[in-house]
Amino acid sequence: MRGVAFLGTIRSVRGTFLRTLVLVFLATFLWLQLHVISLTDRNSAGQAASNETLFALVPQELHRFLKDRRNGSSSSLTNASTDTLTEFEIAEIRRNIERANAEQRVYNEESFGPLATDAPVIVIQVHTRLTYLRHLIVSLAQAKGIEQTLLVFSHDVWHPDINYLVQSVDFCRVIQIFYPHSIQTHPRTFPGEDANDCPRNIRKEQALNLGCINAKHPDLYGHYREAKFTQTKHHWWWKANRVFDQLSITNNHTGMVLFLEEDHYVAEDFLHVLRLMERTCKHSCERCNVLSLGTYLKTYNYFADFSRKFLGVNNALQKELLRGLKSHREASTTGQQSAKIDDLGISGGSGSSSSTSSSSLSIGSSNSSSSSSSSSSRSRSSSNSSSRSSTTDGSSGGGGGGGGGGGSSNTVRGSKHPGNANVTGTAPLSVARNAQAVQAVSAWAFQLLPDLYNHYQKAEVIPWISSKHNMGMAFNRVTWNKLRKCAAQFCSYDDYNWDWSLQHIAQTCLPVSKGAGIAPRVDSGLIAMMMRAPRVFHIGECGVHHKKTNCESTAVIAKVQNVLKAARDHLFPTQLTLTVAGTAKKTKLRKGNGGWGDTRDHRLCWNITVYPDLVLP
């Protein structure tokens, strides 16, 4: 009996223990579910608030471009370019692309008439970032003179939602072209990823033993091709050939062709400035053959990093900033300055470092000034991943007004001393002031200086540099014909970036650009005229080379909109003042970033130039 009782007790304890475990598991599961729901709701609320802010900055009649398609396809854009497509779907997409490219339909031509031969043509390279494309279209819709242009949307992904958005544009002429050799249409064969392609990081000896297709042709760093990186260069070269040499509507075009991407944003006077730059070239800089309207913004650190002296701003721009500070301070009355000094408790006997008053140059929100543009320098050399390493150069690409790109908020302050008001801009702030300034200034890294956004704005003449002048760049047919003659060098240069390839042929193939007027200090085949105060902005948080957890963030978009809203009174300049950049040395010839060693890529690129109707199996 004792044994039976003992066994019953064990079973009872075991049953109680199991029930307790089940209850604990259920309680934990419910808590996790509630926590996830709470986080989802919080994120949704945050996104809704962000969307409301963006909608508030956009005219009511343009809200339609920001709204999702109500009826029709709701399929994921992510899946549009992956292996999830069936063979039937791929065949259907290829037929649609072939039909659209052959038709060359120009939307809204009946409303705006034929395109003038000298009208601006705007070419936009589109992948899958629909959110950014929506805001680019909104910015284009608000640009003065947009009705005179032709928008060319060049796609490497066929997707109903993107097509619906583009075809809803009604404020100018629109044409869609589709890159026919994309990864979407060739997901399992070249130019996509063939199953028999060599793995990227395998050694050449191993590849030869393996017998993979491209074993004999690694890049100059010993790596094998990756389709997702090579596609961008192919697409850029294809669309340039397509627009200049193959479209009927641009057959006799003699004006500027401006190249944008889906994650760009334009100022409302960008066409006015483009025309002004074009006229200035004819009168004052005949050798300038590339116009640059943009600069890069560093979006990853908006709080002040005062440890770097002026964040790499060059001497010319430091003087520009100081002149802006000085002119602003002179505009203030002596009485107001005295009142500020009294309020800050600065007596005539001493000056406190902790009570320096900030020269209030910000228009709108408390923005800060920096011109260190974030250039995308792509390198594959010794790393095991193909990525663009973001570097900071000291170019004056952005100026301070509305887009000088700097990633760190750097507020230039004036130190007040007894009986004297000096602007000290050449020395970094102390660590103690840094901590105070970080709390005081806005997280946004822009400041609008009157000397940069006024009616006599400056443009810089400089040899074209890929990492500084590749955004919002424009050139005409004369320049294109020279570039096209260098197709062999462009297509064989071992660099998967189209812009670095252009720089290579500018240094090795193109004849030196000559002509009357202002001249840079170094000769080159491509001479850029770059706006010191940009009209094209980079709003993308993610791309081929940059990944973040939230690639749909609209924070940068809202901030750019606010900057342009604040700068509105200083747009539409009446003339440009040209300056020569302080480039004393010729840019050294450099080896490419790799990723373009496969001779199949060389042949495809060359065939795109020679055979307009090229069809791949």
Side-chain angles (χ1 to χ4, degrees):
M1 293 295 293
R2 285 183 183 177
V4 174
F6 180 72
L7 289 174
T9 302
I10 291 177
R11 289 180 183 139
S12 177
V13 171
R14 184 183 299 173
T16 303
F17 178 73
L18 291 174
R19 284 193 295 271
T20 303
L21 282 178
V22 170
L23 288 173
V24 169
F25 173 77
L26 290 174
T28 304
F29 178 77
L30 290 173
W31 181 84
L32 288 174
Q33 289 291 100
L34 292 173
H35 186 64
V36 169
I37 292 172
S38 175
L39 288 176
T40 304
D41 291 342
R42 191 181 307 168
N43 292 336
S44 299
Q47 185 65 35
S50 176
N51 289 338
E52 288 178 6
T53 302
L54 288 172
F55 273 75
L57 294 170
V58 174
Q60 181 70 34
E61 63 271 16
L62 300 180
H63 285 186
R64 67 184 188 277
F65 295 124
L66 300 179
K67 297 177 180 178
D68 292 330
R69 185 180 177 189
R70 292 184 179 180
N71 299 317
S73 173
S74 60
S75 56
S76 170
L77 282 170
T78 304
N79 293 335
S81 58
T82 64
D83 292 338
T84 58
L85 294 173
T86 65
E87 291 296 333
F88 175 81
E89 291 171 325
I90 293 171
E92 181 65 22
I93 288 173
R94 293 182 68 168
R95 284 192 294 270
N96 290 336
I97 287 175
E98 184 179 356
R99 187 184 308 114
N101 285 341
E103 184 181 6
Q104 297 189 23
R105 178 180 177 182
V106 180
Y107 297 92
N108 308 320
E109 190 173 25
E110 65 283 355
S111 300
F112 297 101
L115 181 72
T117 56
D118 63 343
V121 172
I122 303 167
V123 185
I124 303 165
Q125 187 157 324
V126 182
H127 186 52
T128 59
R129 291 175 288 179
L130 187 57
T131 297
Y132 295 128
L133 180 60
R134 292 183 186 279
H135 289 280
L136 171 60
I137 289 174
V138 166
S139 69
L140 290 167
Q142 298 177 84
K144 185 176 181 180
I146 192 65
E147 69 282 353
Q148 302 171 8
T149 67
L150 169 69
L151 291 187
V152 181
F153 291 87
S154 183
H155 306 265
D156 56 29
V157 168
W158 174 281
H159 194 279
D161 290 350
I162 298 176
N163 295 342
Y164 178 83
L165 172 64
V166 170
Q167 292 166 18
S168 69
V169 172
D170 56 2
F171 49 79
C172 66
R173 305 167 195 83
V174 173
I175 186 172
Q176 288 181 282
I177 59 177
F178 295 88
Y179 174 56
H181 316 306
S182 68
I183 298 174
Q184 185 191 39
T185 55
H186 300 79
R188 290 173 282 277
T189 58
F190 179 86
E193 299 282 357
D194 193 293
N196 294 318
D197 282 346
C198 299
R200 178 187 183 273
N201 295 320
I202 195 173
R203 293 196 305 272
K204 186 175 181 179
E205 296 78 11
Q206 294 174 306
L208 291 171
N209 292 332
L210 187 63
C212 45
I213 294 176
N214 49 336
K216 296 181 180 180
H217 305 291
D219 67 11
L220 54 87
Y221 300 107
H223 302 304
Y224 290 96
R225 80 182 295 270
E226 291 178 279
K228 62 182 178 181
F229 295 115
T230 60
Q231 176 171 274
T232 303
K233 180 174 176 177
H234 281 305
H235 184 180
W236 192 92
W237 188 246
W238 176 86
K239 77 179 181 186
N241 278 273
R242 183 75 175 166
V243 170
F244 280 106
D245 298 332
Q246 298 166 17
L247 293 181
S248 299
I249 191 171
T250 57
N251 188 42
N252 298 313
H253 184 258
T254 59
M256 284 289 171
V257 176
L258 174 66
F259 291 87
L260 300 177
E261 296 183 15
E262 62 187 1
D263 60 347
H264 290 171
Y265 195 95
V266 299
E268 61 182 284
D269 71 336
F270 86 100
L271 289 171
H272 169 86
V273 171
L274 182 64
R275 291 279 200 184
L276 185 59
M277 295 175 76
E278 189 176 5
R279 291 196 300 270
T280 305
C281 281
K282 294 177 181 177
H283 297 133
S284 304
C285 185
E286 291 184 0
R287 70 188 67 202
C288 293
N289 51 12
V290 177
L291 307 181
S292 180
L293 292 173
T295 190
Y296 284 93
L297 318 181
K298 290 169 65 177
T299 60
Y300 52 84
N301 180 15
Y302 293 113
F303 285 98
D305 175 7
F306 295 108
S307 61
R308 286 173 290 173
K309 182 178 180 180
F310 264 92
L311 301 174
V313 178
N314 59 25
N315 291 333
L317 192 56
Q318 286 186 29
K319 295 177 181 178
E320 191 75 41
L321 298 175
L322 294 176
R323 281 198 296 271
L325 286 166
K326 185 176 180 180
S327 63
H328 178 83
R329 294 173 69 87
E330 289 175 350
S332 302
T333 63
T334 305
Q336 289 174 329
Q337 291 178 352
S338 299
K340 288 181 180 180
I341 294 174
D342 292 340
D343 291 341
L344 288 168
I346 302 177
S347 62
S350 63
S352 170
S353 64
S354 63
S355 58
T356 55
S357 66
S358 171
S359 294
S360 177
L361 289 178
S362 297
I363 299 176
S365 61
S366 298
N367 302 324
S368 66
S369 170
S370 168
S371 74
S372 58
S373 60
S374 173
S375 65
S376 296
S377 174
R378 281 72 74 184
S379 175
R380 293 167 53 100
S381 55
S382 59
S383 65
N384 287 328
S385 63
S386 296
S387 63
R388 297 190 181 187
S389 58
S390 181
T391 64
T392 304
D393 57 64
S395 70
S396 55
S408 303
S409 297
N410 186 0
T411 303
V412 184
R413 294 177 180 267
S415 300
K416 290 183 180 289
H417 294 284
N420 187 20
N422 295 325
V423 179
T424 59
T426 58
L429 294 177
S430 66
V431 176
R433 293 179 190 173
N434 294 351
Q436 295 174 356
V438 168
Q439 298 174 356
V441 300
S442 168
W444 182 230
F446 292 111
Q447 189 173 48
L448 305 177
L449 295 180
D451 282 1
L452 292 180
Y453 274 109
N454 58 23
H455 290 279
Y456 300 94
Q457 296 193 55
K458 293 184 178 180
E460 192 171 71
V461 176
I462 186 173
W464 191 83
I465 300 174
S466 62
S467 58
K468 299 178 182 179
H469 309 130
N470 64 355
M471 185 172 67
M473 61 175 287
F475 51 83
N476 59 20
R477 187 178 297 277
V478 174
T479 301
W480 166 249
N481 288 337
K482 294 178 182 178
L483 292 173
R484 193 175 185 276
K485 290 179 181 178
C486 296
Q489 289 85 344
F490 179 91
C491 292
S492 61
Y493 182 55
D494 193 358
D495 195 314
Y496 68 106
N497 301 289
W498 63 265
D499 47 354
W500 286 100
S501 302
L502 280 187
Q503 182 170 326
H504 172 72
I505 64 175
Q507 294 175 311
T508 61
C509 178
L510 291 177
V512 172
S513 184
K514 297 180 179 180
I518 192 170
R521 299 184 184 184
V522 178
D523 289 331
S524 174
L526 294 177
I527 302 298
M529 179 186 292
M530 181 190 71
M531 286 299 297
R532 294 281 291 270
R535 264 54 183 195
V536 176
F537 301 85
H538 182 247
I539 59 174
E541 296 274 55
C542 299
V544 174
H545 303 87
H546 303 288
K547 298 297 181 185
K548 291 189 177 181
T549 54
N550 181 13
C551 289
E552 297 299 317
S553 172
T554 53
V556 179
I557 301 171
K559 289 165 184 173
V560 170
Q561 288 176 326
N562 280 320
V563 166
L564 290 175
K565 183 179 180 182
R568 186 167 296 162
D569 293 340
H570 305 288
L571 301 179
F572 297 96
T574 55
Q575 72 178 57
L576 294 180
T577 301
L578 296 184
T579 62
V580 177
T583 304
K585 297 180 180 179
K586 186 175 181 179
T587 304
K588 293 191 299 184
L589 290 176
R590 53 182 298 282
K591 63 179 182 178
N593 291 308
W596 198 265
D598 198 316
T599 55
R600 292 176 297 173
D601 286 313
H602 302 176
R603 289 194 298 270
L604 173 59
C605 180
W606 172 252
N607 287 334
I608 285 172
T609 313
V610 179
Y611 304 109
D613 299 323
L614 175 68
V615 177
L616 296 180

